[in-house]
Every structure is written in C-alpha cells, then in structure tokens.
Amino acid sequence: MFSKACQYGIKSVIYIWKQSLLGNKVGAKEIAEHVDAPEPFTAKILQELVRKKIIGSQKGPTGGFYADGAHESFTLRDLVEVIDGDGLFKGCSLGLKECSETNPCPLHHEIKKVRTHVVDMLTKKSLKQLAQEVERGETVLARFDF
Amino acid sequence: MFSKACQYGIKSVIYIWKQSLLGNKVGAKEIAEHVDAPEPFTAKILQELVRKKIIGSQKGPTGGFYADGAHESFTLRDLVEVIDGDGLFKGCSLGLKECSETNPCPLHHEIKKVRTHVVDMLTKKSLKQLAQEVERGETVLARFDF
DNA sequence: CAATTTAAGGACTTTTTTATCCTTTATTGT
DNA sequence: ACAATAAAGGATAAAAAAGTCCTTAAATTG
Ligand code: FES
Ligand code: FES
C-alpha cells in the first residue's frame, strides 16, 4: 500500500511532531533510531518533506527537524502524496492509462468505495493528533522487542 | 496497491475466463495483446498462476490457458495472494514486524476498516463473474484509444 | 513417427526502489 | 572570527521488481 520511503516518512513525521509538542527539535539520527529506519535514507525523505513544507528544519547546533503552527493542518494525505504521489487516490488500480467512470476497469466501482475509506483514514486526523496518540501510549512507532 | 505483475495477472485471468466462457483456450500472446501487457512477463505470471491452480493450461497445438469448473470458486483474493502475498491483508501498513492489536501502529485501527473493504472487494465476486461483466461490456480490460 | 505448436523453465538485462557516503552550506555558541 | 554541529545536496551502490530471451518439454495433427 505504501512504499518503504512513505512508511519511514509517516513514522518520522509523527515522531517529529511528538518531540515538537515537548519543545524539542530532533536530528535525523535520533529520528531514524526511534522509528527503526535506516538513517541516511530517512534523512533523504525528510529533506523532501521539508522542501514541501510538511515539516520545518534548522541547520547548525541545536538545530534539527520540527513541526509547529505552520504545519498544524497537514494530514497523512498530504504526506503520502508528497512521497508516493497521487496514484493511490487517482490512478486506475489495474494500471489503465487513467481511471474513468465511463470506461471502468473491473475493479473500478469497488475501488472507489475503498478509496473513500482510504482518504477518510488519511484525512480524519492531523499528523499532530496522531503524535498525541503516540504520546499517550495508545499507539507505537516501533517495537524493539521480539 | 497492486504490483504490476498482479495487475497483469488480474486482467489476464479475467480475459482467460471470458474466452473460456466462449469455449476458447487462449495463448500468452493473445492474452498479452488484449490486456495491454508485455508478453514474456505476462507468460511468467501465468506460469505461476497455473502452478497454484488458479487457472489451467495445455501445451501443444490447440492448447493455451483456460479456466473451467475446477477454477470456478477462485476470487481476486486468491489471485492477489499468489502474486503479491498476504502483506495487503495481514502485514502492518507502516512496516512494523507484525500487525498487532495490543501494540498497534498509528494507522492500525483505521487500516483494519480499510482492509475489511479491500477483502470485501476482492471476494464478493468470483473471477468468472468479473469476466461476465467484461463480456456484457460493463467493464473493460484495456483501452487502446486516446 | 515427424513436424508443428504452445506452455514451462531458466538465464539474463533493465529499471526502479532502497540505501549509503561524502562534500557543502548554514547556524550556533564561544 | 572560529570551531562545532546539523541539514542539504549530489554521487554511488545494492537489492528488488519488471521485463526479455532462449532452450526444453509436452501435446496435436497428419
Ligand atoms: S478505471 Fe480502473 S480504477 Fe477506475
Ligand atoms: S500494527 Fe500497523 S497495521 Fe496493525
């Protein structure tokens, strides 16, 4: 459903939000450790998310990645679109050149329903809210036990 | 959502069913043309589907791929699982080692709902039924116009 | 049985995705 | 101004997915 890059991006941004709510900026290394993702690859993804203003960053000592009021309204939908594009929302699930109502593929009508639920899932909570759930211990970004 | 291989597989099997309902066996080349997919790659995928008994095949002149009573009960779910595995149904959407109810990732509860709809989409109609819809012109496997 | 046809199988190539590394640029505190 | 720190950027490497090609095996027809 999501590329690895997107999965890392989602977990990273939620972690950044969690730390930002506590007043901390965080470095790429710390993020990668806490979301169980490869550090250099994670850094690349964060770069892109900063460019698209999903999060903020600051260079130099005491710098790092952060999220604040300017990023408050973003949802997973925005983030997923930046990294994986809009194929999940707009493209034909069977790979036809475009998704069309008048010339639908065998999955079209059913996919439309699924998409509604996917978009719902990705928009009903802000990234900040998801971070608050992690903060409350209701959800986790990684499991290091097994 | 689905790999290219899976998309080709889905369209191919529906095409095979459509032709089988008309009493025809079909070769890899014809299939690939009608579903707008690369021929050798499609052949590879069909090989795997035959091995897993989703469809049947026959070598030699008048041979080809077909589907009959023995394959009647299969759905897209079976086909997707053969090609893409069960990650879409069972794995954690954010890549945690496993999907868990007691230690859920931020998307877990929402993903569960989406999965219900995805499984619903993939199981409510048999592959044969999907072929009948194509036969009736209600849906298409390819569009060569644009 | 021989010739032909078509799937099966395996080796290989290309492209995309994932991942790493190194250099540069900006920022901070002293 | 200087040293230290952290992100940005670009170049590369490894792995996986997508796609191709060639040889072999099975079935059919005459
Ligand atoms: S045409 Fe295939 S999903 Fe709409
Ligand atoms: S734990 Fe991530 S989807 Fe269930």
Side-chain angles (χ1 to χ4, degrees):
Chain A
M1 189 144 202
F2 304 117
S3 68
K4 284 277 174 197
C6 197
Q7 295 177 351
Y8 297 151
I10 291 171
K11 292 188 282 188
S12 294
V13 170
I14 293 175
Y15 181 76
I16 290 164
W17 259 112
K18 183 187 160 204
Q19 290 304 312
S20 286
L21 292 172
L22 302 172
N24 309 128
K25 290 200 196 74
V26 282
K29 190 175 175 190
E30 177 186 341
I31 295 167
E33 274 164 11
H34 283 84
V35 305
D36 199 17
E39 196 243 304
F41 191 33
T42 304
K44 268 273 125 66
I45 297 159
L46 292 174
Q47 234 178 80
E48 175 76 2
L49 292 172
V50 169
R51 239 180 282 134
K52 296 292 172 57
K53 319 273 194 200
I54 305 291
I55 50 174
S57 71
Q58 169 124 47
K59 288 183 183 176
T62 76
F65 298 92
Y66 63 89
D68 60 24
H71 313 107
E72 214 151 28
S73 66
F74 288 116
T75 66
L76 282 169
R77 212 220 114 112
D78 303 305
L79 196 164
V80 169
E81 189 155 348
V82 165
I83 301 178
D84 281 351
D86 60 11
L88 188 58
F89 317 119
K90 292 210 179 86
C92 170
S93 58
L94 293 187
L96 303 193
K97 311 258 188 286
E98 64 218 307
C99 176
S100 150
E101 195 69 28
T102 54
N103 235 245
C105 74
L107 276 180
H108 178 83
H109 298 300
E110 291 297 320
I111 277 283
K112 271 197 348 188
K113 290 185 220 165
V114 169
R115 268 183 192 157
T116 304
H117 292 282
V118 170
V119 170
D120 198 51
M121 162 176 88
L122 297 178
T123 53
K124 73 159 34 153
K125 289 170 190 163
S126 67
L127 291 163
K128 182 180 176 182
Q129 282 176 295
L130 291 169
Q132 288 167 332
E133 291 179 359
V134 173
E135 175 63 21
R136 291 196 296 267
E138 294 167 18
T139 58
V140 303
L141 294 173
R143 286 187 228 116
F144 297 104
D145 56 310
F146 59 92
Chain B
M1 187 143 200
F2 305 116
S3 67
K4 284 278 175 198
C6 198
Q7 294 178 351
Y8 298 151
I10 290 171
K11 292 188 283 189
S12 295
V13 170
I14 293 175
Y15 181 76
I16 290 164
W17 259 111
K18 184 187 161 203
Q19 290 305 312
S20 286
L21 292 171
L22 301 172
N24 309 127
K25 290 200 196 72
V26 282
K29 190 174 177 191
E30 178 186 341
I31 295 168
E33 274 164 10
H34 283 83
V35 306
D36 200 16
E39 195 244 303
F41 192 33
T42 304
K44 267 272 124 65
I45 297 158
L46 292 174
Q47 234 178 82
E48 175 76 1
L49 292 172
V50 169
R51 239 180 282 134
K52 296 293 171 58
K53 319 274 194 199
I54 305 291
I55 50 174
S57 71
Q58 169 123 48
K59 288 182 183 177
T62 77
F65 298 92
Y66 63 91
D68 61 21
H71 313 107
E72 215 151 29
S73 65
F74 288 116
T75 66
L76 281 169
R77 212 220 113 114
D78 304 304
L79 196 163
V80 169
E81 190 156 347
V82 165
I83 301 178
D84 282 350
D86 59 12
L88 189 56
F89 316 119
K90 294 210 177 86
C92 171
S93 58
L94 293 187
L96 303 194
K97 310 259 188 284
E98 65 218 306
C99 174
S100 150
E101 194 70 26
T102 54
N103 236 251
C105 74
L107 276 180
H108 178 83
H109 298 301
E110 291 297 319
I111 277 283
K112 273 199 343 190
K113 291 185 219 166
V114 169
R115 268 183 192 157
T116 303
H117 292 282
V118 170
V119 171
D120 199 50
M121 162 177 87
L122 298 177
T123 54
K124 72 160 33 155
K125 290 171 188 162
S126 66
L127 292 163
K128 182 181 177 181
Q129 282 177 297
L130 291 169
Q132 288 167 333
E133 291 179 0
V134 173
E135 175 62 21
R136 291 197 295 269
E138 295 168 17
T139 57
V140 303
L141 294 174
R143 285 186 227 115
F144 297 103
D145 57 310
F146 58 96

